[in-house]
Amino acid sequence: MHANDIKNFGILGWPVGHSLSPHMFRAAFDAAGLTNYNYIPIPVQAGRLMLAVDGLKWLDFRGCNVTIPHKTSVMKFLDAIDADAIIVGAVNTVVNDGGILTGYNTDVTGFISALTEANFMPEDCHAVILGAGGAARAVLWGLCKRKAEYVTVAARNGEKAAALAHDFANYAGVEGIDWTTEEFKEALQTADILINTTPLGMTPNVDAMPPVDISLLPEGALVYDIIYTPAKTKLLQKAEELGYPTLNGMSMLLLQGKESYRLYTGELPDEEVMLKALKEGLGL
Ligand code: NAP
């Protein structure tokens, strides 16, 4: 193999040892016969981010994924940023085209593709989002792009939820509220979908769940938790017990990776292979 044929990829974060991306991408590259493609974890502390991003160019990396805590701070070191990533304010994928680094946010596509694959079409829906952090921004923008009619963002910090809603007010009807209020209970009663974007219920704190009375939701409303460990959070268990359809975060994780792969290679990966690798990485 000629040295110029080697294409390097990785995931940049701190800490990054727990990331499932190396499993997922290596499996997909292997399945496509791309034996000259490498994918490695790249642990980078915050103070070294600028040098690390510059290093991607010097080391001729073809691309990298970006995770906590660099998804927003990486943006100022890139040459160009895709429209979704600008609106969400975070980048999780960087592509290097001949020394020009472009940032993308594939969480938006991953979230929407997961929804539509589950046969939920967001057009004209009333969605309630729990949490007002980074993932909530990607979820909210996905819903706005797909013409949701109204979105309620509910969080423990009502001011933060209101600020997030304000940022997106030009794109859809959006409100941001405190989840301990009567207003929140009213919002649940007309919701077509409830989406948890908080880490409440994530391993190891599996007994936690957001303070939400699921039974207020209309019959048939989809309860979607973007957490993927455990596969069934307490929120999803309760929803299932009450007869609501549910969806966990595994497909969003898979489909954001699929979109990154497409940006890296111009091709679609073998989704089954990626899912199998993800499950193996999670010990499922
Ligand atoms: P983040 O930016 O830190 O935001 C977390 C949100 O949850 C904030 O609104 C935060 O409120 C709230 N929160 C955190 N701890 C809480 C608690 N104990 N009680 C009440 N609210 C709490 O995190 P993120 O990046 O949005 O990620 C959130 C979750 O989404 C994580 O579990 C992550 O694994 C998951 N995720 C999944 C995917 C996927 O592909 N499936 C993709 C991205 C993220 P404050 O602002 O008040 O702290």
Side-chain angles (χ1 to χ4, degrees), residues 131-135 156 160 179 197-200 202 226 228 249 252-253:
R156 65 176 169 186
K160 204 169 163 185
W179 66 22
T197 72
T198 76
L200 286 166
M202 191 167 75
I226 70 165
Y228 45 86
M252 175 174 170
L253 179 68

Side-chain angles (χ1 to χ4, degrees), residues 6-255:
I6 294 172
K7 296 222 186 310
N8 288 320
F9 299 85
I11 177 154
L12 213 145
W14 184 269
V16 78
H18 66 283
S19 172
L20 297 168
S21 295
H23 297 277
M24 184 166 69
F25 282 96
R26 282 180 199 148
F29 290 151
D30 283 353
L34 299 172
T35 50
N36 53 328
Y37 282 41
N38 301 313
Y39 193 107
I40 56 165
I42 312 173
V44 176
Q45 293 184 45
R48 299 180 179 178
L49 185 59
M50 186 180 81
L51 291 171
V53 173
D54 205 35
L56 295 173
K57 293 186 188 182
W58 289 106
L59 295 171
D60 206 17
F61 267 59
R62 170 72 183 125
C64 75
N65 290 99
V66 182
T67 188
I68 290 167
H70 303 315
K71 281 180 161 189
T72 297
S73 46
V74 74
M75 295 173 79
K76 56 182 174 289
F77 305 126
L78 303 177
D79 302 300
I81 299 174
D82 170 73
D84 278 353
I86 290 175
I87 291 171
V88 172
V91 157
N92 74 342
T93 304
V94 175
V95 177
N96 180 5
D97 273 314
I100 305 294
L101 300 184
T102 303
Y104 299 87
N105 188 309
T106 68
D107 281 336
V108 180
T109 307
F111 165 72
I112 286 296
S113 303
L115 260 192
T116 53
E117 279 193 7
N119 288 321
F120 183 95
M121 302 303 147
E123 286 76 11
D124 301 322
C125 78
H126 173 202
V128 174
I129 298 175
L130 304 175
R137 286 187 81 85
V139 164
L140 178 52
W141 176 231
L143 291 168
C144 290
K145 275 183 89 173
R146 287 295 295 261
K147 306 274 182 264
E149 187 181 327
Y150 199 75
V151 185
T152 303
V153 180
R156 65 176 169 186
N157 182 337
E159 281 176 20
K160 204 169 163 185
L164 175 55
H166 181 262
D167 285 351
F168 287 81
N170 284 341
Y171 305 111
V174 194
E175 65 175 348
I177 58 177
D178 178 327
W179 66 22
T180 59
T181 58
E182 282 305 309
E183 233 178 323
F184 174 56
K185 287 186 183 152
E186 281 165 26
L188 289 173
Q189 291 168 36
T190 57
D192 301 297
I193 179 169
L194 173 73
I195 307 153
N196 177 42
T197 72
T198 76
L200 286 166
M202 191 167 75
T203 305
N205 302 314
V206 294
D207 286 330
M209 72 172 265
V212 45
D213 180 355
I214 303 168
S215 69
L216 292 175
L217 292 167
E219 199 183 321
L222 177 64
V223 180
Y224 183 2
D225 197 330
I226 70 165
I227 290 173
Y228 45 86
T229 52
K232 208 178 281 180
T233 56
K234 195 166 173 191
L235 178 77
L236 294 189
Q237 286 171 34
K238 296 254 179 222
E240 258 185 29
E241 279 164 27
L242 292 166
Y244 293 98
T246 60
L247 182 64
N248 73 15
M250 180 70 90
S251 48
M252 175 174 170
L253 179 68
L254 171 71
L255 295 169

